[in-house]
Amino acid sequence: MAVFRTVRQGEENVNQIVLTGMVLSTMPVGEYDRRVVILTKEHGKISAFAKGSRRPNSPLVGAVNPFSFGEFTVYEGRTSYTIQSVVISNYFAELREDMIGAYYGFYFLEFADYYTKEFNDEREMLKLLYQTLRALINPHIPNQLIRYIFELKALTINGQAPQVFQCITCGDKDRPTVFSASKGGLVCSECSGGVIDGMILNNSTLYSMQYIESSSIEKLYTFNVTEKVLAELGKVMERLMEVYVGKKFKSLEILETLL
């Protein structure tokens, strides 16, 4: 829950709020200020001004960069927020030393920025983003797998998860199935007559998708897959992203030129 305090600024009262969140993006405003987009636990996605944060001696200079996670004390004005102070608990500094990992991270931030809303309950998305960045600095999990897990879990959180446990049309769990992104999941052999994008999935691929959709966020990044399954997951997620998201992300386009 947000912590509210009333303080006096000049001649008017303003609300001071403490929010827990992560910086998604930042852009310069004027000569010394920044506009910062933060995904918060309490208010969803917000925009706030970090006044003077581009001055070398500003206490905010290193605290309002992308990936920074912590507590942000802000003044809530009539039309905008202003950051007063920040206590950062994780900068994810390791990503600044790994170009490929950093661009994967920027993609996840950009995706979250596009996918979340102000005053919406985005606690699960914030948790997913945090755990995903932690996974990125774990050398034992391939970055591509982290990407596919993140994308599928984000769709799940948003209520767009494909049906991967039974036929989406009749509910059968026993007949052979194909996966159709356009239909929204598995379609059994009796119902697949009109399916034009059906994919026969490897059992391990299907199990991985079931695990991602049903597991808690804390347990997501605890498994690995073969190259064959990873490639198949990539094809599935590419199609799902086309159907449900339909946006080109700049950070992903840059990343693909580096790989």
Side-chain angles (χ1 to χ4, degrees), residues 242-256:
E242 288 175 357
V243 172
Y244 292 106
V245 181
K247 175 180 169 58
K248 299 291 185 182
F249 294 95
K250 292 181 179 179
S251 50
L252 190 56
E253 291 177 347
I254 295 172
L255 177 61
E256 287 171 349

Side-chain angles (χ1 to χ4, degrees), residues 32-57:
Y32 297 113
D33 303 339
R34 290 176 181 169
R35 176 180 172 272
V36 184
V37 178
I38 310 169
L39 184 61
T40 73
K41 182 170 67 174
E42 297 84 0
H43 285 184
K45 183 174 67 175
I46 69 165
S47 295
F49 291 98
K51 294 184 177 180
S53 60
R54 294 167 64 201
R55 296 179 184 272
N57 60 345

Side-chain angles (χ1 to χ4, degrees), residues 30-130:
E31 191 172 357
Y32 297 113
D33 303 339
R34 290 176 181 169
R35 176 180 172 272
V36 184
V37 178
I38 310 169
L39 184 61
T40 73
K41 182 170 67 174
E42 297 84 0
H43 285 184
K45 183 174 67 175
I46 69 165
S47 295
F49 291 98
K51 294 184 177 180
S53 60
R54 294 167 64 201
R55 296 179 184 272
N57 60 345
S58 169
L60 299 178
V61 68
V64 290
N65 292 319
F67 305 124
S68 295
F69 178 88
E71 290 188 342
F72 298 79
T73 300
V74 302
Y75 289 125
E76 185 179 21
R78 292 179 180 177
T79 59
S80 64
Y81 297 94
T82 300
I83 298 173
Q84 183 197 27
S85 63
V86 183
V87 178
I88 297 298
S89 57
N90 198 335
Y91 289 94
F92 290 99
E94 297 92 337
L95 294 178
R96 294 180 174 87
E97 302 168 2
D98 174 8
M99 181 181 293
I100 300 299
Y103 271 102
Y104 271 103
F106 283 128
Y107 167 57
F108 301 141
L109 296 185
E110 190 180 357
F111 186 103
D113 194 356
Y114 174 76
Y115 223 53
T116 55
K117 298 182 177 70
E118 189 174 358
F119 298 117
N120 199 36
D121 184 352
E122 303 291 0
R123 287 174 292 180
E124 288 296 287
M125 186 64 77
L126 177 62
K127 188 190 298 184
L128 174 62
L129 190 58
Y130 185 85

Side-chain angles (χ1 to χ4, degrees), residues 4 23 35 43 51 67 87 92 98-99 110 127 131 140 142 146 149 162 164 186 201 206 221 241 244:
F4 290 83
V23 175
R35 176 180 172 272
H43 285 184
K51 294 184 177 180
F67 305 124
V87 178
F92 290 99
D98 174 8
M99 181 181 293
E110 190 180 357
K127 188 190 298 184
Q131 294 296 340
H140 302 296
I146 293 170
I149 293 173
V164 292
L186 298 177
L201 297 183
L206 182 58
Y221 300 104
M241 292 291 287
Y244 292 106

Side-chain angles (χ1 to χ4, degrees), residues 127-147:
K127 188 190 298 184
L128 174 62
L129 190 58
Y130 185 85
Q131 294 296 340
T132 301
L133 294 184
R134 286 188 62 191
L136 267 184
I137 58 180
N138 180 349
H140 302 296
I141 306 174
N143 290 338
Q144 281 182 297
L145 179 58
I146 293 170
R147 171 188 166 182

